[in-house]
Structures are given as C-alpha cells and as structure tokens.
Amino acid sequence: MSFKDQIAQDIHNIFLNTEEFAEKRTIQYDGETYPDVHVVLSNMEEKARQQLADDHAQGLFQDVVVLHCAAQDLGDFLPQKGSRIAINTCADGEFFKEYYVLSISKDMGMLRMELKAVSE
C-alpha cells in the first residue's frame, strides 16, 4: 500500500474526525445538497470590505474562510473559481451562508477551498 493510499484511508478517521477537528455541515452547490459532510473551517476572519470610489455601501464586512473536506463527500466535484457555495451556519442548522469560491485545490482526496462572503 502506498503512502497516498494510506492517507486516503485516514481522511475521515484522522483529518476529518468529528470528535477532534471536524464538524458535520450541509453544503449546497450547483443545485445539489450534500448533507453531513465532515468539514474543517479555519482562518475565519472578518475584515472591513475594500470600497471602490463609486461604492457607497457602508457597514459591510468580508468573511474569509478556508474549508477542508473529503472530495468523495461532495461527489468528487471541483467547484469553479467564482462559483457560489452555501454552507449551513452550524451543525444541524437550517440557515445557510453563501460564499464565493476564491481558490480551490485537490490533493490526495482532500479539497481545500478558500471562500469569501460579504456580510453586514
């Protein structure tokens, strides 16, 4: 068994273990709903949104998060940069927050997505 095969077997047992690092969330993308996806959300930060000269909206903030999950939990799809993806706000929650995909990569069965949302 190769190192990559061992990593693929350990994705849910170690990296996405809900008793230590991960939590279950529902993800919606491209008209599909993926319930109980084991995810790790990190680098959560909220910062003032950069305003353009002709932009007069006040009090908006930009949320940036990095999502890690198993590619197989999302049907092995690779969302396109700039596409929208919705994630429920808490485990078993029915409210969703919509994000835009800033970047995405796939390595050894894991997806890493950098996501951005604008909020008040």
Side-chain angles (χ1 to χ4, degrees), residues 13-30:
N13 294 335
I14 296 173
F15 303 118
L16 297 175
N17 181 346
T18 56
E19 293 181 17
E20 293 186 42
F21 306 114
E23 51 192 338
K24 290 183 182 180
R25 298 287 182 100
T26 298
I27 296 177
Q28 296 174 339
Y29 174 74
D30 199 26

Side-chain angles (χ1 to χ4, degrees), residues 13 16 22 50 54 64 87 89 98-99 115 120:
N13 294 335
L16 297 175
Q50 181 180 8
D54 60 347
V64 178
I87 304 169
T89 55
E98 205 167 85
Y99 294 91
L115 307 171
E120 294 182 30

Side-chain angles (χ1 to χ4, degrees), residues 15-116:
F15 303 118
L16 297 175
N17 181 346
T18 56
E19 293 181 17
E20 293 186 42
F21 306 114
E23 51 192 338
K24 290 183 182 180
R25 298 287 182 100
T26 298
I27 296 177
Q28 296 174 339
Y29 174 74
D30 199 26
E32 296 289 327
T33 299
Y34 303 91
D36 296 329
V37 176
H38 294 213
V39 302
V40 174
L41 291 170
S42 59
N43 291 349
M44 293 185 195
E45 64 181 56
E46 183 176 89
K47 59 185 178 182
R49 179 180 65 94
Q50 181 180 8
Q51 284 187 269
L52 302 174
D54 60 347
D55 181 1
H56 302 292
Q58 298 290 322
L60 295 179
F61 294 88
Q62 177 176 295
D63 297 328
V64 178
V65 300
V66 177
L67 178 139
H68 294 88
C69 68
Q72 70 182 24
D73 288 351
L74 299 178
D76 282 317
F77 76 82
L78 200 58
Q80 299 296 313
K81 182 178 176 182
S83 62
R84 288 191 268 181
I85 189 167
I87 304 169
N88 62 339
T89 55
C90 62
D92 299 326
E94 54 189 69
F95 295 105
F96 286 79
K97 186 166 188 173
E98 205 167 85
Y99 294 91
Y100 290 94
V101 178
L102 295 176
S103 67
I104 186 162
S105 60
K106 180 179 175 182
D107 192 24
M108 290 190 273
M110 292 283 292
L111 291 179
R112 181 192 183 278
M113 288 187 259
E114 188 174 336
L115 307 171
K116 175 180 81 168

